[in-house]
């Protein structure tokens, strides 16, 4: 014990990895803070307990709170030491989330496209013009959904290899947003999209197609997480910050609880609300939006409330004006 307290304890107390020491009959003599907090227990309570109350017998890995740890054992003349190291759990989790999201997001629209195409092929003579138009509209909407998913997936794979390929140019935000609104109006006929633009707003310096992708994700969410007929307002104005344009996407939807605001920009994260179950989504949109905005030298902010049934959310993005000096432009291209 003396030896343990002098050497081992000093070294491992501050380690992030969980560490445990047991005597010859597997009774715990010491556990560091990291180990105790992993089991939500007090370190004094652990001493004297049996190793196998915490770690499995004859196994070299253990799963604790969704993480897989490799168990490494080291013996000296007094004690056996066990330390746990995470085995790429983050990647495993991302991978399994990825597979479940992508398979669901691919299967749902494909099933619907095939179903409506089958119905049309089998009963073509019996269908009237209005029915055919309705079925074709669904096929088109579902194809758009697949295109959005594929674009988002391509974006994250680019983010992962740290390669962005942005082409910066001077862009009129209002006319781009009008184009996005035209696309979304078909998808959300019950939601009016109102675009308000201040008189003297300059062009912004962005990659045009990525800017559209940002606006599609934000405006799509605003309609998707709103009740029927909820108005989506887009306000374009000069930001308080010099040399930046502000674009606010406002909705009157379900809102987001304050404790979840920090998580919405994480990859594959969907926050439970009574519309997420009914709506389709991959949890990738805001992750990509934030990444793209930051690569373009901008910022994103969110304000939201769930106090009233339709308090709604405001996503504000700031993007650099196109009159930015060529030096700043060069800096952005180098990102
Ligand atoms: P997806 O919409 O595919 O689930 P996102 O990354 O776009 O993924 O959004 C992440 C989560 O943030 C959503 O699942 C939803 O819970 C929440 N969210 C995003 N935008 C809004 C909004 N305008 N109103 C309410 N919740 C939102």
């Amino acid at each position: 014990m003396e030896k343990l307290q002098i050497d081992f304890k000093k070294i491992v107390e501050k380690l992030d990895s969980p560490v445990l020491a047991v005597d010859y009959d597997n009774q715990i003599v010491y556990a560091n803070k990291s180990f105790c907090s992993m089991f939500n227990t007090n370190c004094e309570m652990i001493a004297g307990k049996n190793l196998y109350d915490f770690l499995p017998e004859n196994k070299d890995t253990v799963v604790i709170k969704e993480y897989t740890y490799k168990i490494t054992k080291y013996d000296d003349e007094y004690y056996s030491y066990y330390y746990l190291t995470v085995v790429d759990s983050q990647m495993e989790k991302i991978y399994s989330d990825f597979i479940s999201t992508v398979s669901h997001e691919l299967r749902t629209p494909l099933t619907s496209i095939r179903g409506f195409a089958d119905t049309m092929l089998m009963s073509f003579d019996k269908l009237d013009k209005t029915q055919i138009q309705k079925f074709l509209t669904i096929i088109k909407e579902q194809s758009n959904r697949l295109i959005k998913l594929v674009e988002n997936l391509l974006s994250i794979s680019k983010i992962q290899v740290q390669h962005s390929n942005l082409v910066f140019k001077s862009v009129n935000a209002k006319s781009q947003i009008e184009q996005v609104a035209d696309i979304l109006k078909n998808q959300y006929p019950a939601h009016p999209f109102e675009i308000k633009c201040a008189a003297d707003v300059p062009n912004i310096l962005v990659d045009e197609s990525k800017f559209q992708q940002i606006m599609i994700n934000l405006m799509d969410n605003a309609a998707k997480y709103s009740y029927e007929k909820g108005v989506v307002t887009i306000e374009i104005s000069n930001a308080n910050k010099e040399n930046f344009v502000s674009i606010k996407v406002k909705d009157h939807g379900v809102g987001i609880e304050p404790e979840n605001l920090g998580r919405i920009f994480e990859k594959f994260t969907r926050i439970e609300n009574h519309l997420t179950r009914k709506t389709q989504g991959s949890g990738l949109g805001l992750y990509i939006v934030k990444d793209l905005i930051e690569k373009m030298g901008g910022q994103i902010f969110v304000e939201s409330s769930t106090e009233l049934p339709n308090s709604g959310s405001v996503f504000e993005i700031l993007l650099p004006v196109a009159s930015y000096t060529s030096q700043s432009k060069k800096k952005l291209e180098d990102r």
Side-chain angles (χ1 to χ4, degrees):
M1 184 69 80
E2 189 62 13
K3 182 181 188 302
L4 177 81
Q5 275 165 357
I6 295 165
D7 300 331
F8 177 77
K9 217 173 159 181
K10 253 193 197 165
I11 300 166
V12 298
E13 191 54 46
K14 289 197 178 107
L15 280 185
D16 285 338
S17 305
V19 183
L20 192 68
V22 297
D23 62 15
Y24 61 92
D25 61 354
N26 287 326
Q27 202 178 33
I28 298 172
V29 290
Y30 170 75
N32 73 349
K33 273 189 203 140
S34 169
F35 191 94
C36 304
S37 74
M38 189 161 76
F39 286 93
N40 298 326
T41 182
N42 186 314
C43 285
E44 269 97 68
M45 310 276 284
I46 285 194
K49 291 205 170 157
N50 190 282
L51 167 71
Y52 301 123
D53 293 342
F54 296 93
L55 300 182
E57 214 168 333
N58 298 328
K59 281 201 175 166
D60 51 13
T61 60
V62 55
V63 179
I64 300 160
K65 292 181 191 165
E66 293 179 26
Y67 286 80
T68 306
Y69 293 86
K70 181 170 177 266
I71 306 170
T72 309
K73 188 180 173 209
Y74 166 76
D75 295 314
D76 73 8
E77 57 192 296
Y78 300 95
Y79 303 108
S80 295
Y81 305 96
Y82 291 84
Y83 61 91
L84 309 183
T85 37
V86 181
V87 196
D88 219 5
S89 74
Q90 202 55 21
M91 281 316 291
E92 277 171 23
K93 179 150 184 353
I94 289 173
Y95 184 68
S96 70
D97 287 350
F98 176 82
I99 298 294
S100 62
T101 304
V102 172
S103 39
H104 173 261
E105 283 294 295
L106 283 175
R107 192 176 293 131
T108 318
L110 282 172
T111 310
S112 144
I113 290 170
R114 191 182 55 189
F116 284 104
D118 272 350
T119 313
M120 287 208 298
L121 283 171
M122 286 190 312
S123 342
F124 196 76
D125 296 338
K126 294 179 210 142
L127 296 172
D128 62 32
K129 250 187 169 177
T130 328
Q131 285 170 311
I132 293 179
Q133 196 166 18
K134 187 176 157 206
F135 291 171
L136 287 174
T137 309
I138 295 171
I139 291 177
K140 190 179 157 208
E141 278 166 10
Q142 294 300 320
S143 312
N144 281 341
R145 188 178 156 196
L146 283 176
I147 291 169
K148 186 180 159 214
L149 174 70
V150 170
E151 272 170 4
N152 279 347
L153 286 175
L154 287 175
S155 295
I156 57 160
S157 65
K158 278 181 193 152
I159 290 169
Q160 249 137 31
V161 294
Q162 294 295 314
H163 176 68
S164 54
N165 264 343
L166 298 180
V167 180
F168 287 91
K169 67 180 210 181
S170 170
V171 165
N172 180 307
K174 183 172 176 242
S175 73
Q176 294 295 319
I177 291 170
E178 281 167 350
Q179 286 178 35
V180 173
D182 284 342
I183 299 169
L184 291 175
K185 270 176 199 159
N186 289 326
Q187 210 170 321
Y188 298 100
H191 293 278
F193 288 90
E194 283 180 4
I195 302 169
K196 297 177 183 170
C197 185
D200 53 350
V201 177
N203 278 7
I204 46 177
L205 184 68
V206 289
D207 178 301
E208 192 177 88
S209 73
K210 300 294 180 224
F211 177 62
Q212 284 212 3
Q213 193 179 355
I214 290 168
M215 294 312 301
I216 284 182
N217 276 301
L218 291 178
M219 289 160 66
D220 181 271
N221 278 350
K224 192 163 76 170
Y225 299 115
S226 288
Y227 304 101
E228 207 168 334
K229 299 195 178 141
V231 181
V232 174
T233 312
I234 299 100
E235 286 176 9
I236 312 162
S237 62
N238 284 303
N240 290 336
K241 194 171 169 184
E242 212 185 329
N243 281 328
F244 282 84
V245 167
S246 153
I247 301 167
K248 289 183 181 165
V249 180
K250 296 185 177 178
D251 66 58
H252 302 280
V254 286
I256 306 161
E257 288 92 5
E259 64 271 24
N260 286 326
L261 281 177
R263 293 179 51 223
I264 57 174
F265 295 102
E266 286 170 13
K267 209 186 302 183
F268 296 120
T269 301
R270 300 202 80 201
I271 309 292
E272 278 283 315
N273 60 48
H274 46 275
L275 291 180
T276 17
R277 278 173 202 270
K278 293 191 212 143
T279 55
Q280 297 145 354
S282 59
L284 286 176
L286 290 180
Y287 168 75
I288 290 165
V289 162
K290 184 164 188 284
D291 179 79
L292 288 175
I293 289 173
E294 285 172 359
K295 284 208 169 86
M296 293 183 196
Q299 282 174 287
I300 181 162
F301 305 95
V302 53
E303 274 177 25
S304 190
S305 164
T306 48
E307 263 167 37
L308 298 171
N310 52 3
S311 325
S313 311
V314 181
F315 284 82
E316 179 181 20
I317 61 176
L318 301 185
L319 286 164
V321 304
S323 56
Y324 240 31
T325 61
S326 53
Q327 205 184 357
S328 326
K329 186 177 166 185
K330 167 96 186 52
K331 261 196 215 155
L332 290 170
E333 278 167 346
D334 290 344
R335 266 164 206 260

